[in-house]
Amino acid sequence: MTDGSRSDVGRWGGSSWQPSVTPSPEPEPDTRSRGSGRSFWARCCSCCSCRGGADDDWGPEPAGPRGSRGSGRPGSRGSGVNAAGDGVVRDGMLVVTGVDLMSGRSDQNRREHHTEDYEYDDLIIRRGQPFLVTVSLSRPYSSSDRMALELLIGANPEIGKGTHVIIPVGKGGSGGWKAQVIKSNGQHVDLKVHVSANAIVGKFRFTVRTRTDAGEFQLPFDPRNEIYILFNPWCSDDPVYVEHESWRQEYVLNESGRIYYGTEAQIGERTWNYGQFDHGVLDACLYILDRRGMPYAGRGDPVSVSRVISAMVNSLDDNGVLIGNWSGDYSRGTNPSAWVGSVEILLSYLRTGYSVPYGQCWVFAGVTTTVLRCLGIATRTVTNYNSAHDTDTSLTMDIYFDENMKPLEHLNRDSVWNFHVWNDCWMRRSDLQSGFDGWQVVDATPQETSSGIFCCGPCSVESIKNGLVYMKYDTPFIFAEVNSDKVYWQRQDDGSFKIVYVEEKAIGTLICTKAVGSNMREDITHIYKHPEGSDAERKAVETAAAHGSKPNIYSNRDSAEDVSVQVEAQDAVMGQDLVVNVVLTNRGSSRRTVKLHLYLSVTFYTGVTGPVFKDSKKEVALSPGSSERVALPVAYSEYRPHLVDQGAMLLNVSGHVKENGQVIAKQHTFRLRTPDLSLTVLGAAVVGQETEVQIIFRNPLPVTLTKVVFRLEGSGLQRPKVLNVGDIGGNETVTLRQTFVPVRPGRRQLIASLDSPQLSQVHGVIEVDVAPASGGNFFSGNRGSSRSGENVPMALRGEA
């Protein structure tokens, strides 16, 4: 992904910074607009700028440590500051004694903005719609009084960049901002504040300023009055607008989901806790943008924000959230298969400032879904089976063999991942010509660089479908992942290579995601590709290949294909013996003799293979119209020493037909299943009351599992919890019991995993219906931190 035409909106040179042990707070901002000697009122409203005396700027805000709080709720917010900056409140000044942002989770603001589930007591709103605020004054508000609201973000707020927003009450603001008095009752004024649909997304400081003949007054900044502004998929003026309510419920508000893995023929699924509303996660998402050094002025653009997130969720170039590791050695961190959600990862990054070890594609994608949903962009996690990794921009998957059709691994730089997981996010693309709005691919897994940085997207799915690889961002790479052809090259006697077979339906064989409103799997291949083999699909492939590094690749290929080959692998559990069958079929009218060679090796899901540990040679005679089955038995003792993550194996089938020279070539990947954890909730679940869960696991292997670690997590139920349980004997069944205290009502999911050096990819989930507390809402902003290394004895042990 090195198209020089792409702009580099995902990176700002010289802006990235090294992590500290504990992230330091931002420096105390200078809240005065720079570059102007005019007063606040002159800058915000010309009708208010004519007054007697000097036209001085506002004085500095009172000094004090960041994060310090006033002495109470509205009505006791501390002393104000006048225009002279001397802290003297003069007779006749309109003093703001407090503000009520109605930020409670059950208050109208939070409910109408669909933010009541965020485990924060702050005001969290979505841009493009109004919110209510009550301002308390030292005397009744009169028509001659002037009042304005201010929102500021960043260290150097500027009006021209949208980082300093001034909203004169009753006068109308700029860019969609305005504030209106809806009721004045004695010393309390109720305001309706309209937020611009293009507002910057982030955490704003908030204050109120007044002006009378006696002088100007500013309410001191108070951390309790800070306001989070998010993208708004409910607002038609916001580029992230989503028309269907069911989609908004699924792709913005759903806190858990399904992630699919395995192979197309053996689809595995796991539940992932996105946890976008958990306390601390929103701050972690904004911290990610800060770490990248993203200018605040760009944080209102979902294209730029999603591109930055795709760069920052991986750690390469910028000390981002997750360190990728596909080596199989996870001794210095967490096995990617052991994670059950994003919360533990994001909170660790926020707390320490260090990249978290380790991630693979589904972890990167799960965290990206969390971040984008948390910020208000509709996002889903997508799995592509048989996903190509094109390393030379040829837009084909090139596989090289020697004269005997044995793979030449040192030449096979391209690879086909059993599956690859990325994200779709929904937005309008004002930076592209019409017709490319809707789903956009964002991929945070570091594979190839884009404009010199490891990021990918956003790329219009519509451009992928039609092979328009010249569209930004990173369309050639993503097109190759879903719709390239697999091209087999054989070395000739003179050392040159010749195309001997082209497999047109081997890449992107299934693209799926969790369905809206259910836990079913939805096939979305059709939005990425025209039907395989159709004229439209072939045109898309040829259009794309014409822009690749091998535009004439299809000019010389043999087509005699009387004999077809299929591979059937039984559904086997790890620890069992298995049999792989190769089925040859003669579709011609003459007898055919096939010299067949089978090579079996283990493989990482990324297509990286280990050495061949078993092979077999056969000569098979086929009568016209007949089929023959060639079996390859594989014992547990044969594959056990070679197993890598996820228990996947690759069978390379090669050979040739004596009579017509047809070359046979096929690769087939299959995996060994791992057991599930069985979860049972013992008793009713009620907000604020302790509940017990029982976890049962049976070791399927005849060997002892050592250093076994359980993880337990569920939004609204259980903060991330790590449990060390020691060893589990061969074929042993164990039972573990843990307690949790729900903090939010409704239907929720509790997710668990097991990991050990001998066995991973073991998960379990249970739905928990949580009843509300009898005394009303229960919420504690501090529900305990993630626990790591807690040693827990087993409740029960026994042989299977």
Side-chain angles (χ1 to χ4, degrees):
M1 297 188 292
T2 55
D3 186 339
S5 66
R6 302 187 190 114
S7 63
D8 198 9
V9 300
R11 186 185 184 96
W12 290 272
S15 295
S16 63
W17 46 296
Q18 297 297 318
S20 57
V21 175
T22 301
S24 300
E26 297 178 27
E28 190 67 36
D30 178 359
T31 59
R32 294 171 291 171
S33 294
R34 301 194 174 193
S36 172
R38 296 184 300 154
S39 75
F40 166 83
W41 295 103
R43 296 194 305 270
C44 79
C45 182
S46 60
C47 68
C48 302
S49 62
C50 298
R51 62 182 177 93
D55 193 14
D56 295 327
D57 203 353
W58 292 82
E61 66 175 286
R66 174 176 168 82
S68 62
R69 296 181 177 266
S71 57
R73 300 303 290 175
S76 58
R77 294 294 180 156
S79 299
V81 56
N82 62 18
D86 57 16
V88 177
V89 178
R90 298 180 176 85
D91 291 341
M93 290 177 64
L94 183 60
V95 176
V96 181
T97 59
V99 294
D100 183 0
L101 296 175
M102 290 171 264
S103 60
R105 294 180 56 205
S106 60
D107 287 344
Q108 181 178 348
N109 283 337
R110 296 281 296 271
R111 287 186 283 107
E112 290 186 350
H113 285 255
H114 309 278
T115 62
E116 65 268 30
D117 281 334
Y118 286 86
E119 294 179 355
Y120 284 76
D121 292 325
D122 307 85
L123 180 59
I124 304 173
I125 57 176
R126 300 186 188 276
R127 62 188 195 173
Q129 71 183 81
F131 67 95
L132 303 177
V133 57
T134 297
V135 179
S136 299
L137 303 170
S138 58
R139 61 168 173 78
Y141 184 65
S142 71
S143 59
S144 63
D145 294 326
R146 295 292 180 261
M147 182 188 303
L149 312 179
E150 283 190 88
L151 294 107
L152 305 96
I153 190 170
N156 299 296
E158 296 182 36
I159 293 173
K161 294 183 178 180
T163 52
H164 183 183
V165 179
I166 302 173
I167 317 167
V169 174
K171 297 292 184 180
S174 60
W177 294 94
K178 64 179 180 178
Q180 302 165 302
V181 176
I182 56 175
K183 187 173 71 172
S184 181
N185 182 17
Q187 296 174 220
H188 303 286
V189 180
D190 295 339
L191 304 177
K192 177 182 282 189
V193 185
H194 296 261
V195 182
S196 169
N198 298 308
I200 290 169
V201 168
K203 187 177 184 179
F204 287 78
R205 302 179 296 281
F206 175 79
T207 187
V208 182
R209 295 198 185 221
T210 65
R211 178 174 179 240
T212 65
D213 292 339
E216 299 170 343
F217 176 91
Q218 176 196 354
L219 178 72
F221 290 98
D222 187 323
R224 289 170 296 185
N225 291 338
E226 290 177 322
I227 300 174
Y228 293 88
I229 298 179
L230 308 178
F231 291 106
N232 192 353
W234 282 265
C235 174
S236 59
D237 293 329
D238 195 314
V240 304
Y241 172 65
V242 176
E243 182 178 0
H244 306 292
E245 176 61 22
S246 60
W247 284 28
R248 295 191 289 251
Q249 292 293 322
E250 180 66 50
Y251 300 134
V252 181
L253 300 182
N254 196 347
E255 297 173 76
S256 63
R258 295 287 195 272
I259 298 180
Y260 302 97
Y261 63 97
T263 68
E264 179 194 8
Q266 297 169 300
I267 295 174
E269 66 177 63
R270 56 179 300 162
T271 302
W272 190 265
N273 181 45
Y274 296 125
Q276 67 267 33
F277 304 134
D278 274 34
H279 187 71
V281 169
L282 177 53
D283 290 313
C285 296
L286 299 178
Y287 174 62
I288 289 170
L289 301 180
D290 293 339
R291 283 293 296 268
R292 177 63 264 165
M294 185 181 188
Y296 284 97
R299 299 189 191 189
D301 175 22
V303 174
S304 297
V305 168
S306 62
R307 187 156 173 80
V308 169
I309 295 304
S310 82
M312 281 299 297
V313 167
N314 70 74
S315 67
L316 294 180
D317 342 273
D318 45 29
N319 298 312
V321 178
L322 276 159
I323 301 170
N325 185 348
W326 288 264
S327 70
D329 178 7
Y330 311 116
S331 56
R332 296 187 177 184
T334 298
N335 185 331
S337 296
W339 299 115
V340 292
S342 308
V343 177
E344 182 180 355
I345 295 167
L346 288 168
L347 294 186
S348 174
Y349 186 63
L350 175 66
R351 183 177 64 252
T352 69
Y354 284 106
S355 303
V356 179
Y358 294 108
Q360 292 179 3
C361 69
W362 66 91
V363 187
F364 292 114
V367 170
T368 300
T369 296
T370 297
V371 174
L372 293 179
R373 285 187 186 182
C374 185
L375 295 177
I377 300 176
T379 307
R380 62 189 184 186
T381 309
V382 173
T383 300
N384 176 40
Y385 285 97
N386 294 310
S387 186
H389 180 181
D390 179 20
T391 60
D392 60 3
T393 67
S394 67
L395 301 178
T396 57
M397 290 302 100
D398 301 301
I399 304 171
Y400 295 91
F401 297 84
D402 66 11
E403 295 83 351
N404 298 314
M405 289 301 288
K406 185 175 182 179
L408 295 169
E409 294 299 343
H410 67 285
L411 295 179
N412 292 334
R413 301 301 183 189
D414 291 348
S415 60
V416 179
W417 297 30
N418 301 345
F419 67 95
H420 181 42
V421 187
W422 60 65
N423 301 93
D424 283 348
C425 53
W426 185 273
M427 65 186 69
R428 290 197 296 268
R429 291 297 300 269
S430 58
D431 59 324
L432 302 178
Q433 64 194 66
S434 62
F436 297 94
D437 298 337
W439 290 118
Q440 314 291 321
V441 174
V442 171
D443 190 350
T445 299
Q447 296 182 81
E448 301 293 323
T449 58
S450 170
S451 300
I453 186 172
F454 283 97
C455 64
C456 183
C459 169
S460 165
V461 172
E462 188 67 21
S463 68
I464 298 167
K465 184 173 185 176
N466 292 291
L468 306 179
V469 295
Y470 48 84
M471 303 287 288
K472 63 181 183 182
Y473 294 97
D474 311 311
T475 312
F477 185 80
I478 302 170
F479 178 87
E481 288 183 297
V482 304
N483 206 13
S484 55
D485 289 341
K486 188 183 283 189
V487 179
Y488 295 81
W489 300 77
Q490 184 179 26
R491 187 169 60 196
Q492 306 300 298
D493 291 338
D494 62 359
S496 64
F497 284 87
K498 174 185 176 183
I499 296 176
V500 294
Y501 185 60
V502 176
E503 202 172 357
E504 296 180 349
K505 301 178 181 179
I507 302 300
T509 50
L510 173 65
I511 306 172
C512 61
T513 189
K514 177 189 174 299
V516 172
S518 79
N519 288 325
M520 300 297 290
R521 186 178 73 251
E522 179 183 359
D523 185 343
I524 58 171
T525 312
H526 64 282
I527 77 166
Y528 277 86
K529 305 168 68 172
H530 295 286
E532 284 282 7
S534 66
D535 291 343
E537 187 267 341
R538 284 292 93 192
K539 180 181 178 181
V541 172
E542 291 168 10
T543 298
H547 291 83
S549 61
K550 299 175 183 176
N552 301 313
I553 195 167
Y554 296 109
S555 59
N556 181 23
R557 50 186 284 197
D558 296 328
S559 58
E561 297 180 3
D562 289 349
V563 177
S564 65
V565 59
Q566 286 184 310
V567 179
E568 300 172 350
Q570 70 183 80
D571 192 17
V573 175
M574 191 175 294
Q576 296 180 346
D577 298 343
L578 60 107
V579 177
V580 184
N581 292 297
V582 177
V583 181
L584 300 171
T585 300
N586 181 4
R587 298 179 296 187
S589 57
S590 304
R591 179 183 175 87
R592 294 289 183 250
T593 306
V594 181
K595 282 194 170 182
L596 193 67
H597 202 155
L598 309 180
Y599 301 96
L600 186 63
S601 57
V602 298
T603 179
F604 289 92
Y605 83 97
T606 56
V608 176
T609 60
V612 173
F613 69 86
K614 185 163 188 172
D615 61 6
S616 175
K617 293 181 180 179
K618 299 278 185 181
E619 184 170 299
V620 182
L622 296 169
S623 301
S626 69
S627 296
E628 292 291 336
R629 186 181 304 267
V630 178
L632 181 68
V634 186
Y636 172 64
S637 58
E638 290 180 294
Y639 68 73
R640 176 191 167 187
H642 307 281
L643 277 180
V644 294
D645 286 353
Q646 303 188 41
M649 299 187 197
L650 174 67
L651 180 68
N652 270 293
V653 181
S654 62
H656 70 276
V657 179
K658 280 186 177 181
E659 289 79 5
N660 62 4
Q662 174 192 345
V663 173
I664 291 174
K666 189 172 184 66
Q667 294 182 314
H668 181 82
T669 304
F670 59 96
R671 71 180 183 93
L672 302 169
R673 287 194 296 108
T674 51
D676 293 327
L677 298 176
S678 173
L679 276 67
T680 306
V681 173
L682 307 177
V686 180
V687 169
Q689 297 183 18
E690 193 171 82
T691 307
E692 189 173 33
V693 62
Q694 176 177 277
I695 305 171
I696 299 176
F697 166 72
R698 179 187 178 275
N699 179 6
L701 303 181
V703 300
T704 296
L705 306 182
T706 61
K707 301 178 181 177
V708 176
V709 175
F710 281 85
R711 272 182 160 78
L712 194 63
E713 182 176 328
S715 286
L717 297 174
Q718 171 66 59
R719 296 286 267 186
K721 196 173 193 179
V722 181
L723 308 169
N724 296 321
V725 299
D727 297 346
I728 299 177
N731 300 122
E732 183 182 7
T733 298
V734 295
T735 300
L736 176 70
R737 288 183 179 176
Q738 284 292 298
T739 59
F740 61 95
V741 179
V743 298
R744 284 187 280 143
R747 177 163 290 185
R748 311 207 160 270
Q749 299 200 43
L750 187 64
I751 310 164
S753 75
L754 175 146
D755 181 60
S756 78
Q758 295 78 24
L759 183 67
S760 61
Q761 203 71 269
V762 179
H763 312 102
V765 62
I766 188 170
E767 283 201 340
V768 183
D769 287 315
V770 181
S774 57
N777 287 333
F778 171 87
F779 168 67
S780 170
N782 181 11
R783 295 193 281 130
S785 59
S786 305
R787 304 183 192 178
S788 80
E790 180 180 345
N791 294 311
V792 178
M794 289 294 179
L796 297 169
R797 290 180 179 268
E799 298 299 322

